[in-house]
Amino acid sequence: MNAKTISILKSIGAVFTGILINVIPAIAIDAVLHVTNCYPPMGERMSDGLFLLASSYRLALAILGGYFTAKLAPHNPIGHVITLGVIGTIASTLGHIQMGDQGPAWYSIGLIVISIPLSLLGGFIYLKRRG
């Protein structure tokens, strides 16, 4: 493989890692909270307070995803983090459409709005720590 191909694969890996950091822990935490009856059974509407709880760890995961995307990027870490944020915005928009009236609009719209800024925050934290 040539250097350009390796760089492209590293770029894809950096963004994919950021996606995994956002998605896998959120699904796992959701599952644990459903199994422990902190969240109601799947398909039942949660209270706004529980949606606030879900928002809290999703916010932290978005920052963490941006951090590791920037760290793993072979070049232009902020460009990679913006790509992650755009993918998050698209995924959150699709989630908003799918969610319909099963939850408060502020929750799903909030996830759309914060995807790019929180990914960027994670990237900036990495850059500041790196020096």
Side-chain angles (χ1 to χ4, degrees):
M1 271 193 260
N2 63 30
K4 183 173 180 164
T5 302
I6 292 171
S7 180
I8 289 169
L9 291 173
K10 285 182 178 181
S11 290
I12 292 168
V15 175
F16 189 66
T17 298
I19 293 168
L20 292 177
I21 289 170
N22 274 276
V23 173
I24 292 176
I27 291 170
I29 294 167
D30 287 349
V32 167
L33 293 175
H34 280 290
V35 168
T36 60
N37 294 320
C38 180
Y39 284 178
M42 294 294 291
E44 287 186 27
R45 192 181 188 288
M46 297 192 316
S47 68
D48 281 8
L50 292 178
F51 277 106
L52 188 59
L53 173 61
S55 296
S56 67
Y57 54 86
R58 283 172 169 74
L59 300 177
L61 292 170
I63 295 168
L64 197 59
Y67 180 93
F68 281 100
T69 295
K71 182 175 183 168
L72 296 173
H75 58 81
N76 187 13
I78 295 302
H80 285 76
V81 168
I82 290 171
T83 300
L84 174 66
V86 168
I87 292 169
T89 299
I90 292 167
S92 295
T93 300
L94 294 173
H96 172 70
I97 293 166
Q98 185 271 336
M99 188 176 203
D101 62 354
Q102 293 179 1
W106 64 261
Y107 172 75
S108 54
I109 292 171
L111 294 178
I112 294 167
V113 171
I114 57 98
S115 187
I116 293 172
L118 291 181
S119 295
L120 279 169
L121 177 59
F124 289 138
I125 291 169
Y126 167 73
L127 291 175
K128 182 156 178 70
R129 290 193 63 185
R130 182 181 77 171

